[in-house]
Amino acid sequence: MGQESMRASDKDREQIVDRLRVAMDEGRISLHEFDSRLQQVYSAKTYGELSPILSDLPVQRVPGRAAKTDPGSVPVWVKIMWTPWVFVNLLVLVIWFATGMGTFWPIWVEAPWGIALLIPTTIGILVQRDSNRRRAEREQFRPQ
């Protein structure tokens, strides 16, 4: 029985997810593609089903080093999500100024969209922080 038909563990899946997260942070895959591959990872049962998910991505040369991120840095996917909001709201403010600054109607564009972005951003950052913490714990107890 080859390794491709052996069943994968949760730890194996988490390692694949970590590599996908690094690839997304590096800009190698989009947020949509990350989500699609994530679904494939969690539905995979064997190593053979997991291997094609990373086949078009480069291998990490130093294990764990590329996966580490600066805790103070903003993830790329957050910038991608919030950039359109910032530019559209700047445009709306320019229109508001140009039309005489009456009632502050831009709030009806800014607030709902901002709240809609704030929820997944908060959840994503908390999940990523938890994942980074678990990765650091695994690396701490790895035999040298």
Side-chain angles (χ1 to χ4, degrees):
M1 180 181 269
Q3 185 174 355
E4 298 233 338
S5 61
M6 289 179 60
R7 293 186 75 83
S9 69
D10 288 340
K11 182 178 180 182
D12 297 324
R13 288 183 193 87
E14 285 302 316
Q15 289 174 346
I16 301 290
V17 169
D18 288 343
R19 289 188 53 200
L20 288 173
R21 193 170 287 122
V22 169
M24 184 180 65
D25 287 343
E26 292 175 343
R28 297 183 191 279
I29 59 175
S30 67
L31 184 60
H32 177 71
E33 191 174 3
F34 172 77
D35 182 54
S36 173
R37 289 182 188 212
L38 203 60
Q39 291 173 10
Q40 292 174 11
V41 168
Y42 287 117
S43 66
K45 292 181 176 74
T46 64
Y47 287 116
E49 293 171 350
L50 284 175
S51 59
I53 297 170
L54 297 175
S55 64
D56 63 337
L57 298 173
V59 177
Q60 288 176 301
R61 293 200 175 116
V62 180
R65 178 158 300 174
K68 292 181 182 178
T69 57
D70 179 18
S73 69
V74 178
V76 173
W77 61 268
V78 172
K79 293 176 187 175
I80 291 170
M81 283 179 50
W82 283 90
T83 300
W85 182 86
V86 169
F87 286 109
V88 167
N89 284 299
L90 287 173
L91 176 64
V92 167
L93 287 173
V94 167
I95 293 169
W96 179 66
F97 278 116
T99 58
M101 298 187 314
T103 306
F104 189 69
W105 57 265
I107 193 73
W108 297 107
V109 175
E110 296 170 355
W113 190 6
I115 291 169
L117 288 176
L118 189 63
I119 294 167
T121 300
T122 304
I123 292 169
I125 288 174
L126 291 175
V127 167
Q128 186 172 2
R129 183 183 305 156
D130 185 51
S131 174
N132 289 343
R133 181 185 53 79
R134 282 185 282 139
R135 184 183 309 115
E137 288 173 359
R138 281 195 309 262
E139 289 176 2
Q140 180 181 3
F141 295 110
R142 236 183 235 167
Q144 298 294 332

